[in-house]
Amino acid sequence: MRGNYKFLLLALLIAFASCSFTNKTFEDPDKDKLLIQLITYVLDQGHYNPQDLNDDFSANVFEDYLNQLDPFKRYFYASDIKEFEAYKSQLDDQIKAYDLTFFNITHQRLLERIAESKKIYSDILEKSFDFSKAENYSSDYEKLTYVKSKREMRERWRQQLKFSTIANYDDALAQRDSDLEANILPESVFSAENEKPVGNVKKSVKEVEKESREATKRSLDELYDFIDDRQRKDWFAVYINAIVEEFDPHTFYFAPEDKDRFDVAMSGNFEGIGARLQKKMDAIMVNEIISGGPAWRQNKLEVGDQILKVRQENEEEGVNVVGMRLDDAIKFIKGPKGTIVTLTLKKVDGTVQDISITRDIVELEETYAKSSTVIKDDKKYGIINLPKFYINFEDYKKRNAASDIKQEIIRLKEAGMEGLVLDLRNNGGGSLQTVVDIAGLFIEEGPVVQVKTTGEPKEVLKDKDKSIVWDGPLVIMVNELSASASEILAAAMQDYKRAIVIGSQQTYGKGTVQNVLDLNRMVRNNSNGDMGALKFTTQKFYRINGGSTQLEGVKSDVVVPDRYSYIDIGEKDQENPLPWDKIDAVDYELWGNYFDYDATISKSKARMAANEQLKLIDANAKWIKKIRDREIYSLNYDEYKKGMELNEEEAKRFEKLSEYKTNLTFNSLQYELDLMKKDSVLKEKRKRWHIALAKDVYIEEALNVLNDLKMTYAVKNKLANVKN
């Protein structure tokens, strides 16, 4: 809309800059102590629900921190925990005094125990496992106690490693038998002279067991390479987050690299070469070329290339990145738009060459809104999928979710759209401002959401632009992972009776607003390096009818089962969520139209109750929960195999889920068809999306609802004209 809404993040930061946050001086030569000083002050002064730092708080931090360090209880001994418990009720005092004693002790001990564990798992995996032995394994790690001796520690590792290996063993046996049926023979069984099979072509059980242990070891070696790359500051961030997450589940400290990733996730773009990288052992490997980016346009960098050196345009010699932490290597590769970076590569074929790439803005297409058209009963409808409410925090005028949605609606209208489905499934939220602007596309004007800060009057965020971009039938799709901004939009459209909401029993249930504070802004003459940022809860938001989505989410008008229906994944299932409450409603007028929402909802509910595909989805969701809740597994292969075969037999009844297909055909708009002529990756992505839409029973029902709304409009409009 007009963009004259309060940009809440910016306003909050400006307020911080002009109030008590900058009246206090923050100085400490020790960066870790300074970080605790900054964070505790901000949370005390700015969090929606500040916590008392007392013994209870201390005990909670103690438990959560140790659980994060050693969730499988395979590093620390009971004697370690007993030593640590001397600090269990003292952490509140240490935090207030910026005392790092507890962290230093636990961190040093953890590094020692991790080093010891390398030898333990290597030794265990040198010897074969006896899969004929009657033995059970429990995956309920929360009920485990800490071991008291080295013998017990070795036994714990043995069981966990055997559990990992038996899965590899089962897969390897199945692969062996499959290869034999397909006459695929291992290279080692061929004679060099006549290339005919020689000897026994079937791998022995002993060979398969050995390969399975080797696979387990490779996985652990990769994990420990990642662990070895972690520096003290990374472990300290874990400790800081154990503290801040006691305030609520959405308060979080971003170390500098994490803040960069957060910004990219929120804006959907970054400046660099347009490649996703991963570390394998000591090598920095190209894992994906991002469609449309500089590397993709140049077409010289390939998936599988290893980056050996990185040289900037003003440097004569490149920096060797072999063995470097991935985050550190990325810092050398990314850079401002227009600058040139030269990569020394070991190509897939083994040759070494240099390529120079001019950095540019790289857009992550999967972040952005996308649309499609579909014909149903001779009517053309539009689908818009919005993965998140993205925004550029530094400049709202740059690409954001609201401007993109508006553009897609205009394009769909030009293509002849008669009804719109807005798909917010799995959309975890994002910018509050974009929600208000998107809601304004569907209503003439009025309140969209209420926000409240502790001790202050509520604020009502309104759409003040009387123009409407889409006034036709509207369906909003949600599920249990639709959160925050998604819930604001769905709730507002539901309260106005502007749209019908189809989806899970309720959405995620996040009714809080967070802001991100760059901690560097609070330190004058900072010589400690980048301090990172703090995301913390500053407000709660409420529906225009006064209700809250906190914990309870948005209740769908038409409830449909999905695979998450019986899994605990909502806000209410997190630790330390803020409570539900409500405030007074704000004045608003229901959407004036000729759509009969009640009749349409009744028809949809009747269809859903009779839909065999949805009944099967519900049964599948219950089965998934049963599988997830299982905690005891046999380490005897015959018993393990029986359990797996039983699961496979039960899973067969759900094979029809993937076979389901509607008779609907989805098409891209003309502007995307033009782009696809030059972008084969985009073409393939849209093809896969359209195939998925054609198999989506929820999309099918959303289109049925749009069709019904169109019919009720025709009937009620005709009656209204007769009365007039």
Side-chain angles (χ1 to χ4, degrees):
M1 308 315 292
R2 289 179 183 162
N4 55 351
Y5 305 112
K6 211 169 191 177
F7 197 166
L8 292 182
L9 173 62
L10 183 59
L12 186 65
L13 292 181
I14 291 173
F16 286 163
S18 61
C19 70
S20 60
F21 272 26
T22 53
N23 290 337
K24 184 177 176 63
T25 301
F26 299 95
E27 293 179 338
D28 198 304
D30 187 309
K31 183 177 180 179
D32 293 340
K33 291 183 178 181
L34 178 60
L35 189 56
I36 291 181
Q37 185 180 3
L38 289 169
I39 286 175
T40 53
Y41 183 78
V42 171
L43 293 178
D44 182 63
Q45 297 295 310
H47 194 276
Y48 182 85
N49 186 33
Q51 299 292 300
D52 291 329
L53 301 189
N54 53 29
D55 288 354
D56 289 337
F57 182 91
S58 176
N60 290 334
V61 172
F62 179 87
E63 296 292 345
D64 290 344
Y65 174 57
L66 293 181
N67 284 336
Q68 289 183 50
L69 292 185
D70 189 11
F72 304 124
K73 295 185 175 65
R74 62 185 186 185
Y75 296 138
F76 291 132
Y77 290 84
S79 58
D80 294 325
I81 302 304
K82 185 175 182 181
E83 181 181 345
F84 299 157
E85 282 182 340
Y87 301 94
K88 188 171 184 177
S89 63
Q90 296 180 18
L91 297 187
D92 53 322
D93 301 315
Q94 288 195 7
I95 293 168
K96 293 173 186 176
Y98 322 131
D99 183 346
L100 305 179
T101 301
F102 175 68
F103 169 75
N104 289 333
I105 290 174
T106 53
H107 175 243
Q108 185 58 42
R109 189 67 50 80
L110 177 67
L111 295 183
E112 293 171 5
R113 297 309 186 204
I114 287 175
E116 292 170 3
S117 68
K118 289 181 184 180
K119 180 169 176 24
I120 294 174
Y121 83 71
S122 296
D123 288 348
I124 291 172
L125 290 173
E126 283 294 319
K127 300 176 182 177
S128 60
F129 287 119
D130 181 1
F131 291 126
S132 65
K133 182 180 178 181
E135 185 178 14
N136 288 331
Y137 173 75
S138 173
S139 63
D140 187 357
Y141 305 115
E142 291 183 4
K143 291 182 181 177
L144 289 177
T145 58
Y146 290 98
V147 300
K148 297 178 180 179
S149 65
K150 290 184 177 181
R151 183 185 60 78
E152 289 182 6
M153 180 65 80
R154 184 179 177 85
E155 175 60 16
R156 175 151 299 168
W157 269 99
R158 186 196 66 80
Q159 279 215 340
Q160 292 185 6
L161 291 172
K162 189 174 183 180
F163 178 61
S164 297
T165 303
I166 199 171
N168 295 336
Y169 181 69
D170 183 55
D171 290 340
L173 284 176
Q175 186 63 52
R176 180 197 68 174
D177 296 341
S178 175
D179 288 348
L180 283 172
E181 289 178 11
N183 291 320
I184 300 174
L185 304 177
E187 292 181 11
S188 60
V189 303
F190 286 91
S191 165
E193 290 82 9
N194 53 22
E195 294 190 353
K196 291 183 179 180
V198 295
N200 183 11
V201 299
K202 186 176 182 178
K203 288 182 184 176
S204 68
V205 170
K206 187 175 181 180
E207 288 175 311
V208 172
E209 189 275 337
K210 183 174 183 292
E211 289 178 1
S212 302
R213 279 185 286 116
E214 290 171 346
T216 300
K217 188 174 186 302
R218 283 195 301 272
S219 296
L220 273 169
D221 287 344
E222 288 184 9
L223 170 63
Y224 273 69
D225 280 338
F226 170 75
I227 291 174
D228 289 344
D229 270 351
R230 301 193 79 177
Q231 299 176 346
R232 186 183 188 279
K233 63 181 181 180
D234 301 313
W235 294 110
F236 190 64
V238 175
Y239 178 56
I240 289 293
N241 276 314
I243 295 171
V244 304
E245 288 174 1
E246 291 303 320
F247 285 72
D248 76 287
H250 306 290
T251 293
F252 188 84
Y253 167 67
F254 291 112
E257 292 87 355
D258 294 329
K259 175 60 166 55
D260 290 342
R261 283 189 280 268
F262 174 77
D263 288 341
V264 170
M266 287 301 299
S267 66
N269 64 68
F270 64 92
E271 292 182 324
I273 65 171
R276 287 192 171 98
L277 310 176
Q278 68 177 137
K279 188 172 181 183
K280 289 188 175 180
M281 306 305 284
D282 282 339
I284 305 296
M285 309 295 294
V286 177
N287 189 43
E288 180 186 350
I289 307 296
I290 298 173
S291 175
W296 178 85
R297 293 196 299 268
Q298 187 195 56
N299 200 27
K300 291 182 179 179
L301 191 67
E302 298 176 287
V303 172
D305 286 349
Q306 179 187 349
I307 301 175
L308 304 176
K309 293 182 179 181
V310 181
R311 178 167 59 85
Q312 311 305 322
E313 55 187 325
N314 59 347
E315 296 176 343
E316 293 185 4
E317 185 65 32
V319 175
N320 188 335
V321 297
V322 176
M324 186 179 287
R325 295 174 71 238
L326 181 59
D327 284 340
D328 292 337
I330 288 172
K331 289 177 183 177
F332 288 107
I333 298 168
K334 290 173 68 174
K337 173 183 176 180
T339 57
I340 298 173
V341 62
T342 299
L343 307 178
T344 300
L345 304 172
K346 183 177 182 181
K347 301 294 288 182
V348 178
D349 61 8
T351 60
V352 175
Q353 63 177 258
D354 288 353
I355 66 168
S356 296
I357 303 174
T358 301
R359 299 178 178 108
D360 201 347
I361 294 176
V362 180
E363 293 192 332
L364 303 177
E365 184 270 331
E366 62 269 24
T367 301
Y368 299 132
K370 57 188 175 186
S371 66
S372 174
T373 61
V374 60
I375 303 294
K376 180 175 175 61
D377 297 342
D378 298 323
K379 300 182 184 69
K380 181 177 284 187
Y381 296 115
I383 313 283
I384 296 180
N385 175 274
L386 183 64
K388 64 180 63 177
F389 291 79
Y390 46 91
I391 188 177
N392 186 307
F393 280 123
E394 295 179 358
D395 186 357
Y396 187 69
K397 293 180 181 179
K398 290 186 177 180
R399 187 173 188 179
N400 64 68
S403 59
D404 279 1
I405 291 289
K406 180 178 180 179
Q407 184 63 47
E408 291 303 312
I409 292 174
I410 291 171
R411 288 166 171 161
L412 288 166
K413 286 171 66 176
E414 291 172 349
M417 173 178 70
E418 297 185 51
L420 174 63
V421 175
L422 181 57
D423 189 354
L424 300 180
R425 290 176 296 177
N426 304 316
N427 184 323
S431 162
L432 182 57
Q433 184 180 3
T434 59
V435 182
V436 178
D437 287 349
I438 291 174
L441 303 175
F442 305 115
I443 61 174
E444 186 173 347
E445 62 178 340
V448 175
V449 63
Q450 304 183 79
V451 293
K452 196 172 188 309
T453 304
T454 301
E456 295 183 13
K458 70 180 183 183
E459 182 181 7
V460 181
L461 303 186
K462 300 179 179 180
D463 166 41
K464 298 179 181 178
D465 188 341
K466 291 189 176 183
S467 65
I468 303 174
V469 178
W470 177 248
D471 62 356
L474 177 64
V475 167
I476 293 180
M477 301 182 68
V478 297
N479 64 4
E480 291 88 348
L481 296 178
S482 302
S484 194
S486 292
E487 295 174 290
I488 292 174
L489 183 57
M493 296 299 97
Q494 193 177 59
D495 289 344
Y496 274 109
K497 285 218 163 191
R498 177 62 188 90
I500 290 178
V501 178
I502 296 179
S504 51
Q505 185 75 39
Q506 71 162 71
T507 51
Y508 188 86
K510 178 180 176 292
T512 56
V513 181
Q514 285 72 41
N515 284 298
V516 181
L517 177 65
D518 182 350
L519 295 173
N520 298 292
R521 295 166 61 102
M522 300 180 63
V523 185
R524 297 171 185 171
N525 303 317
N526 181 20
S527 60
N528 285 295
D530 196 335
M531 301 300 297
L534 182 67
K535 176 167 70 78
F536 60 108
T537 299
T538 57
Q539 296 171 311
K540 291 179 78 172
F541 65 77
Y542 300 84
R543 302 172 68 136
I544 54 178
N545 68 8
S548 171
T549 62
Q550 180 64 12
L551 304 182
E552 295 192 357
V554 176
K555 306 292 193 295
S556 296
D557 297 312
V558 178
V559 176
V560 290
D562 63 26
R563 63 185 306 166
Y564 305 118
S565 294
Y566 303 99
I567 299 174
D568 298 333
I569 57 174
E571 178 87 356
K572 62 182 180 297
D573 304 306
Q574 306 304 308
E575 290 189 8
N576 312 312
L578 296 184
W580 178 91
D581 63 345
K582 63 180 180 178
I583 60 175
D584 294 334
V586 65
D587 292 335
Y588 64 97
E589 294 183 10
L590 295 181
W591 174 253
N593 61 79
Y594 292 109
F595 300 125
D596 191 335
Y597 284 97
D598 293 336
T600 301
I601 290 171
S602 295
K603 285 184 179 180
S604 182
K605 287 181 177 179
R607 277 193 301 268
M608 295 297 91
N611 190 301
E612 293 300 322
Q613 178 76 353
L614 289 175
K615 291 179 182 177
L616 193 59
I617 288 172
D618 188 58
N620 181 242
K622 291 176 180 176
W623 180 71
I624 289 172
K625 177 171 174 57
K626 185 181 80 171
I627 296 297
R628 285 172 62 96
D629 288 348
R630 182 180 176 185
E631 295 174 352
I632 304 299
Y633 298 85
S634 176
L635 296 180
N636 172 281
Y637 182 67
D638 290 338
E639 292 300 316
Y640 178 89
K641 186 64 176 176
K642 285 179 184 177
M644 294 297 294
E645 289 174 346
L646 181 61
N647 284 347
E648 289 171 6
E649 192 63 33
E650 289 181 349
K652 285 181 181 178
R653 58 189 283 238
F654 303 119
E655 288 178 354
K656 289 184 178 179
L657 289 175
S658 60
E659 298 170 2
Y660 186 81
K661 188 174 181 181
T662 67
N663 60 354
L664 301 169
T665 301
F666 296 82
N667 297 291
S668 291
L669 292 169
Q670 187 58 49
Y671 85 97
E672 276 203 337
L673 294 175
D674 293 338
L675 291 173
M676 290 175 193
K677 294 175 183 177
K678 300 178 181 179
D679 190 344
S680 59
V681 175
L682 176 64
K683 184 177 181 179
E684 181 61 27
K685 286 181 178 179
R686 290 297 181 265
K687 178 183 176 182
R688 292 181 184 181
W689 182 45
H690 293 160
I691 290 173
L693 289 175
K695 301 174 72 171
D696 192 330
V697 66
Y698 309 108
I699 287 287
E700 182 182 37
E701 180 54 25
L703 294 171
N704 286 333
V705 170
L706 283 182
N707 217 32
D708 290 344
L709 284 174
K710 287 288 293 182
M711 296 298 293
T712 64
Y713 177 85
V715 172
K716 295 190 76 174
N717 190 39
K718 183 177 180 181
L719 290 173
N721 287 332
V722 170
K723 290 180 181 178
N724 288 333

